[in-house]
Amino acid sequence: MTNDKKMLIGMQIGNGYGGQATAWMAPNVDPHNYTDLDAHVRYAQAAERGKFQFLFLPDFLAQSQKSDGDAPSLTMDPFVTMTAMARETKKIGFAATASTTFYEPYNLARILKTLDVVSGGRIGWNAITTSDQASAANYGAQIADRETRYARAHEVIQIVQALWGSWQKDAWIADKETGIFADLSKIQPINLQGQYVASRGPLEIPQSKQGQPVIFQAGGSPHSLALSGRFASAVIGATFTIEDSIRQRNAIRHAAEQFGRNPDDIKFFAGIMPTIAPTVREGLDRRGQFVEPSIRQRVGYLGMMLGLSLTPADLDHPLTAQQLASTHANYEDPRSEKALEIAREGWSVRDILYHAVIDYHPSPIGPAHLTADHMQEWFEAGACDGFWFTPDVYEDGIDTFVDEVVPLLQQRGLFHCDYEGDTLRDHLSIEYQYGLREESA
């Protein structure tokens, strides 16, 4: 490294089992962890031991269980789960997903700022829109068009931030001698009215240790890019190649500059879904247990990725020389290039699939140094500011990453050895903010 910049690490935490749909069936996993908040707390404490910057809690407002054999992919409720984990940790940050499409700004402002205060300034909000019709049906609504959804999102975030700042920083007196609890002249209504949402305010919650929660964003569309550039300090990316990650990060930094912001105050996180084991073969066998339940469907999809006709009869054979000569990467699917690379190494079709080439983020398989090497390559190439890590199985995957990958990153000078601050803003090295940010004309 040519400077002392350190990478950032967040971790996805969902249903209590892991990032794989059948992780609940892993031999060392209690299948009842879906409702066991003690298990979630244990995982948060393991991540804090690894000095991770934050835990990321996704959310979806409709049924997420896809088949009888899959567990729901998300926690019962991210706010409740996050509260339990925050109370039993001291440093690590948390970012919960909440939709601007169905939440009202006052509800969001109140819940999130309360959590930020009681956690000591460790909370973030992943502000997204919802386009899923099944989710809308749960609210007795219809999904609006994209322009409307994002126009509402801009209004919701502005009102939420204005409410966060409506109790001014020096309003709280709490002086028993004078009998003044708070200076009401410094706790004022915001009286914001948009086309879609409005709020009078004020919000009777003082500033947290970091001022107010950090805005996260997840999404790659032009509308998401504008939302990120205007409001977000952390962006959860979906990218499979280093080139695409560089492109996405540069686009996000440029979007921030267009809104008059310092691009260093918006951090881009690339996903990584490793399976860590002493050898590649052991790693493949571990990951394979999660691939097998859907392997017949995956064979056909792999064939489409490579421009071949593959069936379950091909599973235990490598691609023939004739197949390799006729195959090609599908440039509409960035995962296909990696799949072709692995096929050319001579692995069987089954093992190609065990390499997790159909998962949605890069998946190093095998010894810890392979994951550390991947992270170092991407970070030093400017492809990201850090990573959001999804363990295959929480029960042992977090500890393995913390015990084997983190020390390698620390030895290489790529990751910090301890927390340098107490708040999520400290961990992300982003500017203090209280209330609405001043925007350039």
Side-chain angles (χ1 to χ4, degrees):
M1 294 287 289
T2 58
N3 58 49
D4 60 357
K5 179 183 176 183
K6 300 293 191 290
M7 73 171 63
L8 308 169
I9 299 178
M11 187 185 84
Q12 183 264 20
I13 187 158
N15 56 15
Y17 305 118
Q20 298 299 310
T22 55
W24 69 276
M25 295 180 65
N28 57 339
V29 172
D30 183 341
H32 297 100
N33 278 353
Y34 181 55
T35 59
D36 185 357
L37 288 187
D38 288 340
H40 290 76
V41 165
R42 192 168 69 251
Y43 303 147
Q45 291 170 337
E48 185 170 64
R49 184 170 66 84
K51 314 303 180 185
F52 293 4
Q53 274 66 45
F54 63 91
L55 298 183
F56 177 74
L57 287 77
D59 197 25
F60 182 61
L61 298 173
Q63 184 177 4
S64 62
Q65 184 178 356
K66 303 303 183 185
S67 72
D68 289 348
D70 295 348
S73 58
L74 307 168
T75 182
M76 291 183 292
D77 179 272
F79 290 134
V80 175
T81 305
M82 186 166 64
T83 303
M85 294 189 296
R87 291 290 293 168
E88 298 297 328
T89 54
K90 297 184 183 302
K91 295 282 190 178
I92 195 167
F94 300 88
T97 301
S99 173
T100 60
T101 305
F102 294 111
Y103 281 96
E104 290 298 315
Y106 188 85
N107 297 114
L108 282 169
R110 189 182 190 196
I111 292 168
L112 287 160
K113 198 176 184 192
T114 298
L115 278 166
D116 204 35
V117 169
V118 301
S119 69
R122 294 186 285 139
I123 300 302
W125 168 32
N126 181 33
I128 62 164
T129 68
T130 299
S131 59
D132 176 65
Q133 293 289 355
S135 298
N138 284 338
Y139 291 84
Q142 296 290 324
I143 290 294
D145 63 86
R146 179 173 292 184
E147 294 292 337
T148 299
R149 293 199 315 273
Y150 276 91
R152 176 187 164 99
H154 281 262
E155 289 185 7
V156 168
I157 296 172
Q158 288 177 84
I159 292 175
V160 166
Q161 291 190 328
L163 286 166
W164 284 343
S166 61
W167 180 313
Q168 293 181 23
K169 286 183 283 187
D170 56 351
W172 198 5
I173 308 298
D175 188 331
K176 289 184 178 182
E177 291 187 9
T178 63
I180 298 175
F181 182 77
D183 183 347
L184 288 179
S185 70
K186 297 179 179 179
I187 305 173
Q188 293 292 324
I190 61 169
N191 290 320
L192 283 182
Q193 173 73 57
Q195 184 177 352
Y196 304 99
V197 288
S199 183
R200 177 185 183 274
L203 182 67
E204 290 189 320
I205 303 174
Q207 65 174 331
S208 75
K209 193 170 183 179
Q210 67 173 354
Q212 65 192 35
V214 175
I215 303 293
F216 281 60
Q217 228 284 307
S221 71
H223 290 79
S224 294
L225 191 62
L227 203 69
S228 297
R230 187 178 186 186
F231 299 113
S233 295
V235 174
I236 301 298
T239 177
F240 203 84
T241 68
I242 195 168
E243 295 80 12
D244 187 48
S245 195
I246 291 171
R247 181 191 63 77
Q248 288 191 37
R249 179 173 180 261
N250 288 341
I252 286 163
R253 289 172 62 83
H254 179 64
E257 288 179 319
Q258 288 183 309
F259 284 98
R261 298 176 56 199
N262 179 349
D264 290 336
D265 276 327
I266 185 167
K267 312 297 185 183
F268 180 73
F269 292 85
I272 186 169
M273 302 178 71
T275 289
I276 301 161
T279 66
V280 172
R281 180 70 263 166
E282 289 171 279
L284 292 174
D285 291 341
R286 176 181 168 106
R287 192 60 165 258
Q289 67 183 307
F290 309 118
V291 173
E292 279 296 333
S294 60
I295 199 163
R296 297 177 71 86
Q297 296 93 327
R298 294 185 185 221
V299 170
Y301 194 87
L302 178 64
M304 287 190 292
M305 288 170 65
L306 298 178
L308 297 172
S309 177
L310 296 177
T311 72
D314 299 306
L315 276 170
D316 293 313
H317 308 284
L319 297 185
T320 66
Q322 183 178 2
Q323 286 174 316
L324 286 172
S326 64
T327 191
H328 56 83
N330 181 344
Y331 294 106
E332 293 183 358
D333 188 334
R335 299 169 295 179
S336 63
E337 197 169 321
K338 182 67 175 179
L340 181 56
E341 175 190 326
I342 293 167
R344 286 174 172 158
E345 292 174 359
W347 296 96
S348 69
V349 170
R350 187 184 302 275
D351 280 340
I352 296 171
L353 291 167
Y354 281 13
H355 274 87
V357 294
I358 293 179
D359 280 351
Y360 293 104
H361 300 285
S363 300
I365 308 285
H369 73 83
L370 297 178
T371 296
D373 292 347
H374 172 96
M375 297 172 75
Q376 179 171 1
E377 180 186 11
W378 281 47
F379 181 66
E380 292 185 340
C384 58
D385 298 285
F387 298 86
W388 64 291
F389 153 58
T390 301
D392 49 8
V393 179
Y394 297 135
E395 194 63 50
D396 60 355
I398 306 170
D399 283 327
T400 301
F401 188 97
V402 167
D403 292 335
E404 298 185 22
V405 177
V406 168
L408 290 176
L409 297 173
Q410 291 168 334
Q411 290 164 17
R412 298 176 189 184
L414 297 166
F415 189 60
H416 67 173
C417 294
D418 203 355
Y419 292 105
E420 287 87 24
D422 298 322
T423 71
L424 181 54
R425 289 182 187 276
D426 291 338
H427 303 340
L428 299 178
S429 297
I430 56 175
E431 65 179 7
Y432 176 88
Q433 183 182 345
Y434 196 61
L436 275 168
R437 179 187 285 113
E438 294 275 340
E439 295 188 356
S440 299

